Amino acid sequence: LIGLSSCVGLYGYRGHALMMMGYADQSKQSNQEGLTLATELAHSPSIAFAMSARADWYCLCGDAGETLRHSTE
């Protein structure tokens, strides 16, 4: 893989869409599935994207502390 894994990207974008529709728990799960896949693939760009999606989730929840913690990993 050279670019972002399309599956990891879809998990992230799905999570964002679910959050916008008010399904926070499903959104968090989708983001976690993307991070799990990226880690299994051991693909740095996909891991970075999935970690960014996770930090974005906390930002959308209004949790500044967790956003900062996850954005600096």
Side-chain angles (χ1 to χ4, degrees):
L1 296 172
I2 296 173
L4 174 68
S5 163
S6 59
C7 291
V8 172
L10 288 172
Y11 277 121
Y13 292 124
R14 178 179 181 257
H16 192 80
L18 286 166
M19 189 65 167
M20 294 294 108
M21 293 187 298
Y23 301 107
D25 291 339
Q26 291 177 35
S27 172
K28 186 175 185 180
Q29 179 63 33
S30 183
N31 286 330
Q32 184 57 48
E33 289 171 1
L35 182 56
T36 299
L37 176 59
T39 303
E40 289 172 0
L41 293 172
H43 185 242
S44 297
S46 296
I47 293 169
F49 177 85
M51 292 174 76
S52 175
R54 180 176 57 185
D56 185 50
W57 186 86
Y58 284 104
C59 182
L60 291 172
C61 288
D63 190 335
E66 285 297 303
T67 301
L68 179 61
R69 186 172 79 83
H70 288 290
S71 65
T72 57
E73 288 184 335

